[in-house]
């Protein structure tokens, strides 16, 4: 397909001749009102009602037992990994095809990633590839799963729901049980995505959401730790808020804590955004369907949600026949003011992860050279 066909389609869809970004936030609800309320109350920081309200709304929407708001998604992921028991010197299995935040969170805990291939069904971590890597390189001993070569403990498996498409969770959970590993979902991109009817991020004891400016809803910067039960949730709240024992005036902290609490000012934005989430999801499904139809019968493959899942279609993606045609489309669409983007460079190509352990990354490499993300801001449906 010609780049000009894509440009024309996107311009038609967004009905504008201006620059079209990849994903722009919209503040067309109660955002201003709620943010003004925090200013007028002076409770802009660590105290105020919006943080609790926002956490409640996320719990209701996702079905998570407890949600704990944080300053950003990376902080949420750091907290989730920390609470899941990942320690310095541990190994953690994840995908090479992800945004760097997944690996940064690990790195700063002193843990190291093992990169394993992704699945064609989801573009996320492949359960079969994880099992194959472990069968070849790991052994189960008393106390857990250990890497045969480095003798380090392999502690956790961190799948990422790429562009909002849920990974094959049942199969991954089976592999985690078999190898005595803890699952921690990086659900930063998948608010509004469901695996067999259950919200992503609710399959592990702890998981992370992000509300960065480019995500499906935003709090400016922000994240959330989803927790499997109330006790885990209480603990997550405790460590993200300096682990202080409540007291009218005394300072006592009973374990090393983080200062990762989301400010009330940001939570106000989140509460207003949550009121629009259902509409955004509908509009994004509508847009994805339009893209799907555009590419029917062409040499470009539109990435559809897996058959077992309902995706939020956070970022629409296509797979080009080869690197050359991808580069040509990237070049021409961007020159025409329609923003498109290649997928992230695989993590093992970055200097800090070049030495990381890895299995075959054949499909990750195939995808790396062929994917393009298309403009994905929600659009109003036509009457
Ligand atoms: C957005 C994102 C995060 C978290 O990002 P923050 O900017 O820290 O909120 C983590 N992992 C992935 C895959 C992401 O896309």
């Amino acid at each position: 397909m010609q780049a000009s066909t894509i440009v024309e389609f996107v311009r038609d869809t967004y009905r504008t001749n201006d620059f079209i970004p990849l994903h722009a936030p919209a503040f067309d609800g109660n955002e201003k009102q709620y943010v003004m309320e925090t200013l007028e109350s002076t409770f802009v920081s660590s105290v105020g009602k919006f943080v609790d309200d926002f956490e409640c709304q996320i719990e209701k929407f996702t079905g998570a037992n407890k949600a704990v708001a944080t300053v950003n998604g990376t902080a949420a992921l750091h907290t989730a990994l920390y609470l899941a028991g990942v320690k310095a010197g541990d190994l953690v299995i994840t995908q090479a095809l992800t945004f760097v935040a997944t690996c940064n969170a690990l790195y700063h805990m002193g843990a190291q990633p093992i990169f394993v291939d992704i699945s064609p069904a989801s573009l996320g971590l492949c359960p079969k590839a994880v099992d194959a890597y472990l069968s070849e390189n790991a052994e189960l001993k008393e106390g857990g799963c250990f890497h045969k070569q480095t003798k380090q403990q392999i502690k956790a498996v961190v799948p990422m729901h790429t562009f909002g498409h849920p990974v094959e969770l049942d199969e991954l959970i089976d592999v985690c049980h078999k190898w005595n590993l803890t699952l921690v979902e990086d659900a930063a991109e998948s608010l509004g995505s469901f695996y067999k009817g259950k919200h992503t991020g609710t399959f592990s004891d702890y998981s992370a959401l992000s509300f960065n400016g480019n995500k499906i809803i935003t709090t400016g910067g922000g994240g959330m730790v989803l927790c499997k039960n109330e006790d885990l949730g209480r603990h997550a709240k405790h460590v993200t808020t300096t682990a202080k024992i409540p007291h009218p005036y005394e300072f006592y902290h009973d374990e090393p804590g983080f200062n990762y609490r989301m400010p009330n000012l940001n939570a106000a934005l989140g509460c207003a955004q949550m009121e629009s989430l259902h509409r955004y999801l509908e509009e994004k499904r509508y847009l994805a369907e339009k893209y799907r139809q555009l590419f029917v019968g062409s040499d470009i493959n539109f990435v559809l949600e897996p058959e077992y899942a309902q995706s939020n279609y956070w970022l629409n993606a296509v797979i080009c026949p080869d690197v050359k045609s991808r580069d040509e489309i990237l070049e021409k669409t961007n020159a025409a003011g329609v923003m498109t983007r290649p997928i992230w460079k695989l993590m093992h190509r970055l200097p800090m992860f070049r030495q990381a352990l890895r299995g075959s990354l054949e499909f990750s490499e195939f995808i790396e050279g062929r994917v393009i993300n298309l403009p994905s801001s929600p659009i109003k449906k036509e009457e």
Side-chain angles (χ1 to χ4, degrees):
M1 180 182 287
Q2 298 292 315
S4 56
T5 312
I6 299 173
V7 169
E8 206 174 301
F9 171 85
V10 173
R11 290 219 168 279
D12 235 40
T13 302
Y14 284 97
R15 291 171 228 136
T16 175
N17 289 319
D18 298 340
F19 171 76
I20 298 173
L22 200 63
H23 201 288
F27 303 118
D28 43 14
N30 288 317
E31 283 83 359
K32 272 189 195 152
Q33 190 194 320
Y34 295 172
V35 169
M36 283 308 291
E37 264 181 54
T38 67
L39 295 180
E40 278 155 15
S41 74
T42 74
F43 288 105
V44 295
S45 184
S46 55
V47 179
K49 70 172 181 124
F50 285 113
V51 174
D52 292 340
D53 280 1
F54 187 38
E55 289 174 346
C56 268
Q57 286 191 55
I58 290 285
E59 285 160 13
K60 219 175 271 164
F61 182 84
T62 61
N65 275 308
K66 188 76 190 85
V68 175
T70 59
V71 285
N72 59 53
T74 311
L77 198 55
H78 185 190
T79 306
L81 291 164
Y82 173 79
L83 294 174
V86 174
K87 297 208 160 55
D90 286 342
L91 293 171
V92 173
I93 294 178
T94 190
Q95 48 203 75
L97 189 93
T98 186
F99 177 58
V100 72
T102 314
C103 299
N104 283 343
L106 286 172
Y107 182 92
H108 288 293
M109 307 177 74
Q112 288 151 18
I114 300 176
F115 297 121
V116 171
D117 215 355
I118 53 167
S119 151
S122 67
L123 303 186
L125 194 61
C126 172
K128 282 204 194 85
V130 175
D131 192 46
Y133 182 88
L134 291 167
S135 299
E136 196 173 320
N137 297 289
E139 53 192 344
L140 273 173
K141 289 201 254 186
E142 209 180 315
C145 177
F146 290 82
H147 200 278
K148 281 188 203 162
Q149 205 186 334
T150 71
K151 313 291 178 207
Q152 288 164 284
Q153 184 164 3
I154 307 175
K155 197 61 85 56
V157 174
V158 181
M160 195 279 281
H161 304 294
T162 306
F163 305 145
H165 300 305
V167 300
E168 294 143 282
L169 279 158
D170 283 344
E171 292 80 1
L172 262 184
I173 288 166
D174 286 347
V175 173
C176 286
H177 283 153
K178 177 176 167 191
W179 291 97
N180 197 4
L181 299 169
T182 306
L183 183 75
V184 178
E185 296 167 75
D186 181 346
E189 303 184 354
S190 64
L191 176 64
S193 297
F194 295 81
Y195 174 83
K196 298 186 180 172
K198 197 167 172 260
H199 199 280
T200 50
T202 62
F203 290 81
S204 35
D205 282 356
Y206 302 99
S207 71
L209 300 179
S210 166
F211 311 112
N212 188 33
N214 63 346
K215 298 299 201 296
I216 187 161
I217 65 162
T218 186
T219 56
M224 194 77 81
V225 186
L226 300 185
C227 309
K228 191 134 234 175
N229 63 47
E230 301 256 332
D231 285 342
L232 300 184
R234 254 190 299 276
H235 192 211
K237 190 66 165 182
H238 188 59
V239 299
T240 53
T241 54
T242 72
K244 185 177 184 292
I245 301 297
H247 190 280
Y249 47 82
E250 290 286 354
F251 286 101
Y252 188 78
H253 308 262
D254 64 348
E255 63 175 305
F258 303 108
N259 178 20
Y260 278 173
R261 185 202 300 269
M262 175 184 282
N264 198 44
L265 192 58
N266 300 76
L269 203 52
C271 286
Q273 289 266 284
M274 277 306 282
E275 294 170 359
S276 302
L277 179 57
H278 281 287
R279 175 166 54 88
Y280 291 159
L281 285 166
E282 253 178 57
E283 290 173 359
K284 285 167 87 64
R285 281 193 89 69
Y286 170 72
L287 174 62
E289 174 56 21
K290 285 185 70 141
Y291 274 128
R292 185 193 67 78
Q293 287 172 15
L294 173 71
F295 294 105
V296 166
S298 79
D299 57 348
I300 292 176
N301 255 316
F302 180 71
V303 178
L304 273 174
E305 66 193 349
E307 41 81 30
Y308 52 74
Q310 173 149 345
S311 173
N312 66 2
Y313 282 103
W314 169 56
L315 279 190
N316 288 289
V318 291
I319 303 172
C320 299
D322 50 47
V323 180
K324 192 168 156 281
S325 61
R326 179 202 64 168
D327 289 347
E328 191 182 317
I329 291 172
L330 282 173
E331 187 69 42
K332 289 188 173 161
T333 49
N334 281 292
V338 169
M339 185 171 171
T340 60
R341 234 181 23 188
I343 203 164
W344 316 285
K345 284 236 175 331
L346 297 182
M347 290 299 112
H348 69 286
R349 304 200 197 283
L350 307 181
M352 56 287 193
F353 303 118
R354 201 162 280 155
Q355 304 299 325
L357 295 162
R358 57 179 186 263
S360 158
L361 298 175
E362 200 181 332
F363 190 63
S364 304
E365 284 165 4
F366 176 89
I367 285 298
E368 180 189 31
R370 287 168 179 77
V371 162
I372 292 179
N373 287 123
L374 300 165
S376 299
S377 310
I379 48 158
K380 298 263 180 304
K381 287 193 195 179
E382 281 155 42
E383 256 74 71

